[in-house]
Amino acid sequence: MSQLFQPLTLRGVTIPNRVWMSPMMQYSAPAQGPETGTPTDWHLQHLVSRAVGGAGLVMVEATSVSAEGRSSAYDLGLWNDRQPPAFARLVQALSDSGAVPAIQLNHPGRKAGIGRPWSDAHPPRPGLRRVGPSPIAFGTVPAPHELTTHAITTVIDEFAQAARRAHLAGFRALEIHGAHGYLVHSFLSPQTNHRTDAYGGGPERRMRFALEVVDAVRAQWPRELPLFFRTSATDWLAGHGTETRPGWTVDDTTRLARELMAHGVDLLDVSTGGIVPDATIPVSPGYQVTFSAQVRARTGIPTAAVGLITEPEQAEKIIDLGEADAVFLGRELLRDPYWPRHAAHSLGAALPAPPQYARAFTGR
């Protein structure tokens, strides 16, 4: 029996299988006017096609909690009360297609206003503002403004209000983006957090912002619905090869994971990197899975693995060996929206088809 296609229950939500769609930014929301930050027909077809394709959970891309805090002017957002109704049609379509609808909340921090990755040499940045724990630039991107303690409180509340709006829109799972050099991660890493107040210094104080965000979100997010946290388990800095720059490590992630569980997080989405643009990363198939396995074994927290997971047998082995409780697929699902159906067939698992498509699967 395929473990990849067994259900997983977190709090009051049962996810029908362990193949999940990773949040992948589309940079396709309206950039101005009353519909700014809301999903379009592109988002609808992009996400629902993966639900029809068999993904057990479909995670909507990194969605901004602040109008100022956007990677581009084209980001999705939940920073005002006009936006949740615009997500409701998408949420219902995902549910009707058999997937658990989920959403990731993010503040890009010092990566705000970078723009779309394809056509914007000079992207429009109406009111976008780079902020961080310390004024340390990401590569050649201009350095961010250092957040005051009052501004930190404001951002924490923005996460909480976005979580409230996500619930109003009907989402059944929520993820806080704490990875890839964005704001939450930049507080965690000693590479980017040089503060000397209560939000900087040793690991416990650098974790304070992340945990306060989690507490504020958990207070707005219903108890019966699961909360995820995406982490960069390592910055690929000190401790890797000849690298000497200080960075966040898997030991730090283990410590954080224990705190996250105590604060109401149900699953750790384990990625890596993103704090500096020039880290040396040994990319290979499944290269990040070992971090998921380590943190899961050390703490008992459920995890999801990511990173060059492309083959059904590879994904099945990850679940079967207990290296993760689920796999998030990103680029592979961009290439093949029906990867879960192909994987189920390859592994001899039964995956329900939409009734409109049933005649194509009967007797197969």
Side-chain angles (χ1 to χ4, degrees):
M1 180 181 296
S2 170
Q3 298 303 304
L4 191 62
F5 289 95
Q6 295 302 302
L8 176 66
T9 298
L10 297 169
R11 295 198 183 230
V13 176
T14 297
I15 304 164
N17 63 56
R18 315 297 181 95
V19 183
W20 300 351
M21 180 179 180
S22 193
M24 291 172 284
M25 295 183 73
Q26 299 297 292
Y27 306 96
S28 297
Q32 57 188 352
E35 305 304 316
T36 300
T38 60
T40 64
D41 286 348
W42 174 265
H43 297 96
L44 186 72
Q45 66 82 25
H46 164 65
L47 293 162
V48 174
S49 64
R50 274 71 189 179
V52 172
L57 178 143
V58 172
M59 181 80 72
V60 174
E61 66 192 69
T63 299
S64 296
V65 302
S66 163
E68 287 187 341
R70 287 180 277 165
S71 297
S72 79
Y74 308 96
D75 292 7
L76 290 179
L78 280 172
W79 63 77
N80 67 52
D81 287 340
R82 294 192 308 273
Q83 290 164 331
F87 283 86
R89 179 186 176 213
L90 171 61
V91 168
Q92 188 62 55
L94 290 172
S95 297
D96 290 347
S97 299
V100 170
I103 191 168
Q104 183 188 73
L105 300 182
N106 185 41
H107 191 302
R110 65 197 186 117
K111 293 184 176 181
I114 292 177
R116 295 190 290 194
W118 60 84
S119 63
D120 295 335
H122 301 285
R125 291 188 278 114
L128 304 191
R129 184 170 182 262
R130 298 182 185 96
V131 296
S134 305
I136 299 170
F138 177 77
T140 60
V141 177
H145 300 277
E146 182 173 311
L147 286 167
T148 65
T149 52
H150 175 73
I152 288 172
T153 301
T154 298
V155 173
I156 290 170
D157 185 62
E158 288 173 338
F159 270 96
Q161 296 309 312
R164 175 182 62 82
R165 295 182 183 111
H167 179 234
L168 288 175
F171 287 101
R172 301 286 293 164
L174 183 71
E175 179 168 273
I176 296 167
H177 201 333
H180 300 164
Y182 296 126
L183 185 61
V184 175
H185 182 196
S186 67
F187 269 88
L188 292 170
S189 177
Q191 179 62 211
T192 46
N193 186 345
H194 295 182
R195 299 176 76 97
T196 58
D197 63 3
Y199 291 94
E204 289 75 17
R205 294 204 298 187
R206 284 186 276 110
M207 288 192 293
R208 178 178 174 177
F209 178 71
L211 295 176
E212 288 185 356
V213 168
V214 168
D215 287 344
V217 166
R218 189 75 262 186
Q220 293 289 335
W221 188 242
R223 291 186 61 182
E224 69 272 15
L225 300 181
L227 177 62
F228 302 171
F229 187 96
R230 171 163 275 198
T231 182
S232 280
T234 176
D235 288 338
W236 298 104
L237 296 177
H240 292 278
T242 60
E243 182 62 71
T244 59
R245 288 175 291 179
W248 185 255
T249 69
V250 69
D251 290 337
D252 294 325
T253 299
T254 299
R255 185 182 297 114
L256 175 64
R258 293 191 180 103
E259 291 291 335
L260 290 172
M261 283 194 292
H263 287 254
V265 169
D266 303 292
L267 180 137
L268 197 65
D269 175 5
V270 185
S271 188
T272 65
I275 205 71
V276 295
D278 60 342
T280 300
I281 301 176
V283 176
S284 62
Y287 70 102
Q288 298 178 123
V289 174
T290 181
F291 299 103
S292 167
Q294 288 181 62
V295 176
R296 187 177 186 272
R298 292 177 185 181
T299 68
I301 191 170
T303 63
V306 305
L308 286 181
I309 300 169
T310 60
E311 300 297 329
E313 293 76 15
Q314 176 193 17
E316 177 74 18
K317 184 177 178 181
I318 290 167
I319 305 303
D320 193 48
L321 292 179
E323 294 176 317
D325 297 272
V327 294
F328 269 117
L329 271 61
R331 288 175 174 83
E332 192 62 20
L333 277 180
L334 294 183
R335 290 186 284 265
D336 181 4
Y338 289 86
W339 190 96
R341 295 201 174 277
H342 298 149
H345 180 64
S346 174
L347 297 170
L351 194 60
Q356 297 91 333
Y357 289 179
R359 62 186 180 273
F361 295 90
T362 302
R364 180 174 177 176

